[in-house]
Amino acid sequence: MISHKKYMELALQLAEKGKGTTSPNPMVGSLIVKRGRIVGKGWHKKCGEAHAEVCALQQAGKKAKDGILYVTLEPCSHWGRTPPCTEQIVQAGIREVVIGMEDPNPIISGYEELKFRGLKVRIGILEEECKKLNEPYIKWMKSKKPFVVVKAAMSLDGRIATRTGDSKYITSKEARKLVHELRAEYDAVMVGINTVIKDDPQLTVRLAKGRNPVKIILDSSLKIPFNANVIKSEPNRLIIATTKKAPKAKIKKLQQNGVHVLVVNMKNGKIDLVGLMGELGKREICSIMIEGGAELNAEAIKSGIVDKILIFISPKLIGEGLAALGDLGINKIDKSIKIKKLDYRKIGKDILIEGYL
């Protein structure tokens, strides 16, 4: 008996090779099996390039005929940046297609198209794993807003800095390396202006391979200094979200330097985060990791834009210091925010806790 799950696991491993390079497209892996042997493999490498199924078909060549094609996401059935995959699957003589999950894009009906063309089609094999791989794509495709993660690093007693503000470094080098790897996977990282002024971060992937994310700075009065690291490094990949309080002359000068300045609405005296997410989604930013301080973390959670949390806990005690979260307006324990699908693992000497809101 053919183990569809085994082959789908291999397809998922192929899909993961596209981390950080396919957005706004999803990560997709595919392979072709014939008489118990893998004759073709492929994954989507970059937006605008060949889809995973086409790469697998090209590698298999004539061996694809009468084979089984495994793919982590429903094949496309329309003309977009590339021709429809369903047509090429049919032409190659594939007899059966096994699909991980349905594509949330409403214009795609690859499952129905392949069935209509007479192929045997199964869908929903390792569906949860396939969905987890493409969380940002699913959220962006359904809402046109980015998938948002709050990342924080804290001591065992919940502090992100000492009472003097010292925070370097709470977590281990292994944890910091993982954060840089995550930056390479997300479309953007976001911090508030206080973090820029206090820490002058670079927000790059110095400790890992991959491309630097877009940097998003929340700066309602446009206080950012022109010599800030985020401006000096790749200003064309910097977005500053500000408001009408920003001096027009400074906006103009930043734009002349290549910086993208977004003037957005205010809500309760602060940048309207929900409105900002809509603007960023229009710019095909599908995923954001917030690396801010207590205030930004709390505001993001209160506004409802956060989908997931990543909290690194270091085996250290600090005592009085800065908390990881500001005021969430919660007065009773039974009103506290419940974290779902909780998971944890050890990273160096630290523990990484992952969960969903």
Side-chain angles (χ1 to χ4, degrees):
M1 186 179 171
I2 297 170
S3 173
H4 291 315
K5 285 185 178 179
K6 180 184 83 171
Y7 290 121
M8 191 59 74
E9 280 172 359
L10 293 172
L12 277 163
Q13 289 170 23
L14 289 168
E16 285 183 4
K17 292 186 176 188
K19 276 185 175 176
T21 60
T22 64
S23 186
N25 279 3
M27 290 176 273
V28 186
S30 180
L31 52 90
I32 298 164
V33 177
K34 189 172 181 179
R35 299 191 192 100
R37 286 181 58 242
I38 296 171
V39 296
K41 295 179 183 176
W43 70 93
H44 185 42
K45 296 177 177 69
K46 194 176 180 181
C47 184
E49 293 188 8
H51 288 186
E53 308 93 307
V54 174
C55 294
L57 288 168
Q58 286 171 347
Q59 193 182 96
K62 291 179 181 177
K63 292 176 185 174
K65 186 170 168 55
D66 294 324
I68 302 173
L69 183 140
Y70 292 83
V71 62
T72 55
L73 183 74
E74 183 181 15
C76 69
S77 55
H78 71 294
W79 284 88
R81 290 181 170 107
T82 57
C85 291
T86 49
E87 195 59 38
Q88 296 180 67
I89 290 167
V90 172
Q91 286 176 1
I94 291 288
R95 67 176 172 86
E96 183 177 352
V97 179
V98 181
I99 301 165
M101 63 168 280
E102 182 183 4
D103 194 320
N105 187 338
I107 67 170
I108 288 176
S109 55
Y111 173 70
E112 293 298 332
E113 175 68 18
L114 290 167
K115 270 187 18 178
F116 177 74
R117 299 293 288 272
L119 278 73
K120 184 178 180 183
V121 192
R122 300 168 189 256
I123 194 165
I125 308 298
L126 297 186
E127 185 177 28
E128 286 309 306
E129 290 87 339
C130 292
K131 283 181 175 178
K132 186 172 172 61
L133 182 70
N134 279 309
E135 291 168 335
Y137 170 73
I138 295 168
K139 165 93 181 279
W140 181 75
M141 186 52 69
K142 287 182 174 178
S143 67
K144 284 294 178 266
K145 289 182 179 179
F147 183 86
V148 179
V149 176
V150 164
K151 182 236 95 184
M154 64 176 72
S155 62
L156 200 56
D157 52 348
R159 303 299 177 188
I160 60 172
T162 66
R163 59 185 172 184
T164 61
D166 183 43
S167 61
K168 290 188 177 178
Y169 286 105
I170 285 177
T171 51
S172 61
K173 188 166 184 179
E174 292 89 341
R176 297 200 302 277
K177 183 174 182 290
L178 178 58
V179 169
H180 283 225
E181 289 170 3
L182 289 168
R183 284 178 184 172
E185 292 174 19
Y186 284 86
D187 290 346
V189 291
M190 178 186 286
V191 298
I193 185 59
N194 292 338
T195 296
V196 173
I197 290 169
K198 179 179 161 289
D199 298 334
D200 196 19
Q202 295 181 57
L203 304 179
T204 59
V205 296
R206 303 178 303 286
L207 303 178
K209 289 181 181 177
R211 57 100 179 98
N212 287 326
V214 170
K215 297 160 288 189
I216 302 169
I217 312 298
L218 304 186
D219 186 1
S220 58
S221 303
L222 214 53
K223 294 188 287 186
I224 191 165
F226 283 103
N227 64 348
N229 279 323
V230 289
I231 292 178
K232 288 191 286 186
S233 166
E234 297 182 294
N236 61 320
R237 287 179 63 76
L238 170 63
I239 295 172
I240 300 177
T242 190
T243 67
K244 290 174 182 175
K245 293 195 288 185
K248 287 187 172 63
K250 192 166 183 180
I251 291 175
K252 191 175 180 182
K253 193 172 178 185
L254 284 164
Q255 288 172 333
Q256 286 169 346
N257 285 357
V259 176
H260 302 275
V261 181
L262 277 182
V263 179
V264 295
N265 292 331
M266 296 183 74
K267 191 173 182 182
N268 301 325
K270 294 172 183 169
I271 285 171
D272 176 9
L273 292 176
V274 175
L276 175 61
M277 292 305 113
E279 289 299 319
L280 295 172
K282 287 177 190 173
R283 287 161 174 77
E284 296 191 338
I285 290 176
C286 303
S287 58
I288 297 171
M289 184 161 68
I290 295 177
E291 295 194 55
E295 188 181 345
L296 176 54
N297 291 344
E299 286 301 320
I301 290 169
K302 278 197 291 186
S303 71
I305 67 166
V306 179
D307 300 284
K308 186 176 180 178
I309 58 159
L310 291 172
I311 296 180
F312 292 87
I313 299 177
S314 174
K316 296 170 183 170
L317 297 173
I318 291 175
E320 189 178 336
L322 300 177
L325 272 181
D327 183 19
L328 290 174
I330 294 166
N331 296 318
K332 293 193 172 185
I333 293 293
D334 63 0
K335 300 293 183 187
S336 58
I337 297 166
K338 311 296 188 295
I339 307 300
K340 303 164 198 139
K341 297 183 186 175
L342 202 65
D343 198 7
Y344 61 90
R345 58 189 160 121
K346 208 167 176 213
I347 309 290
K349 292 179 179 178
D350 307 315
I351 294 170
L352 171 60
I353 292 180
E354 178 181 318
Y356 296 80
L357 298 187

